[in-house]
Amino acid sequence: MKILMFGRGVMATQYGWALEKARNEVDFYVRPGRAAQYGPYVDLDILDGRKSRKGDQVLERWFINMREEISPNHDYDLIFLSVNHEQFEEASKVVSKLAGKATILIFNNVWDDQETVAARLPKEQILWGFPGGGGGFRGKNKLEAGFMKSIYLESAATAASVKRHEDVVDMFKQAGFSVSLQKDMYVWYLQHFIMNAGMAAQALKLGSYQNMYQSPKHVKPAVLLMREMLPLIRAKGRKPGLGTALMLHLPAGLMGYGVFKVITGGTLAGAIMERMEDTAYISQESFALFPRDILADARKLSIELPRLTALEPYFRMKD
């Protein structure tokens, strides 16, 4: 498959590497001047979770092909779009102009309804999914990151094109990934966004994610924040999934302890989180957007979130 990665970001780079190793042709679309700024290679320090639960460490200098101009009549099969939440609107404007006939794989956090989020993009070419990884760059071209075996993708029943869906599923499976198909991808997005918002709000209060993960007692308030936000899923016209039901009924302390063990127990998820914070990928301003967006929406929908509101000084937009 011929793949165009939008930008040379964390997700685009590590998934681009994995997909190229599986004999796909991978290029990176970057803004004019960025190719010279970045240089021709990336120094990879990746934890590859496709074969090992703790991740096999990959240390490699990977030379990449960057393109600053794309013809409207290009022959790319897939455009891989995964950017920070606050960058998506601008990125979608650019992708709409270079979509061609390619499948557009959206690998992004989503809070607003999908039609609004992707209004500029040809909906018959879109597939909705989400990566299972993270990390950050140290300097301009050293990537310290990691990814799980699983990626998340909408089901064929909800996809705009069954053929495009089959092609993307096959692409990931041939590259050694497992594909977790979601009956309602938007519900999955909402639940994941709420999880990010709860963790971010508590981490901002305590000064960092590392401070939060010092004790299960520090994680428990994040679980209570998530639980408070869950009614927003129904307010957005969606039926909550099993994960929501568990979060509503299991003791918050037990869930906080479970999250604490996942992050601090030598797991790949914990190692990825450490890399995200160590490389400053988890910036206060970037992750403050999650609770900020949820609180703004809750006020529009007349849903009270007292716990989150009390933490608003930690994530309020700076003047």
Side-chain angles (χ1 to χ4, degrees), residues 2-134:
K2 189 172 182 180
I3 305 168
L4 183 66
M5 316 301 287
F6 183 85
R8 199 216 61 169
V10 172
M11 297 304 178
T13 302
Q14 59 181 336
Y15 281 97
W17 170 82
L19 293 171
E20 185 178 272
K21 291 294 185 182
R23 300 184 178 180
N24 296 285
E25 182 179 344
V26 175
D27 292 337
F28 290 81
Y29 175 78
V30 296
R31 286 181 286 178
R34 284 297 176 92
Q37 178 184 341
Y38 289 145
Y41 62 83
V42 179
D43 284 325
L44 302 174
D45 181 353
I46 293 176
L47 298 175
D48 181 348
R50 287 174 293 177
K51 294 182 180 179
S52 168
R53 294 179 65 183
K54 291 190 176 182
D56 296 318
Q57 188 173 26
V58 176
L59 298 172
E60 178 182 328
R61 175 161 286 185
W62 180 41
F63 286 84
I64 64 175
N65 184 36
M66 287 176 282
R67 300 189 59 182
E68 296 180 349
E69 294 184 7
I70 302 293
S71 166
N73 299 318
H74 66 74
D75 60 349
Y76 289 102
D77 302 299
L78 179 74
I79 296 175
F80 182 104
L81 177 55
S82 182
V83 296
N84 289 340
H85 174 54
E86 68 275 17
Q87 298 171 327
F88 185 83
E89 184 176 358
E90 190 62 31
S92 69
K93 292 178 184 178
V94 178
V95 172
S96 68
K97 297 174 184 177
L98 52 85
K101 297 180 180 179
T103 296
I104 302 168
L105 177 61
I106 296 178
F107 248 33
N108 237 76
N109 281 298
V110 173
W111 179 249
D112 293 327
D113 67 90
Q114 290 159 290
E115 288 190 5
T116 299
V117 169
R120 295 182 178 88
L121 301 173
K123 64 180 181 180
E124 68 277 4
Q125 294 173 226
I126 294 174
L127 277 179
W128 297 90
F130 199 82

Side-chain angles (χ1 to χ4, degrees), residues 155-167:
S155 69
T158 62
S161 166
V162 173
K163 177 64 167 60
R164 292 178 188 273
H165 186 275
E166 289 176 350
D167 289 345

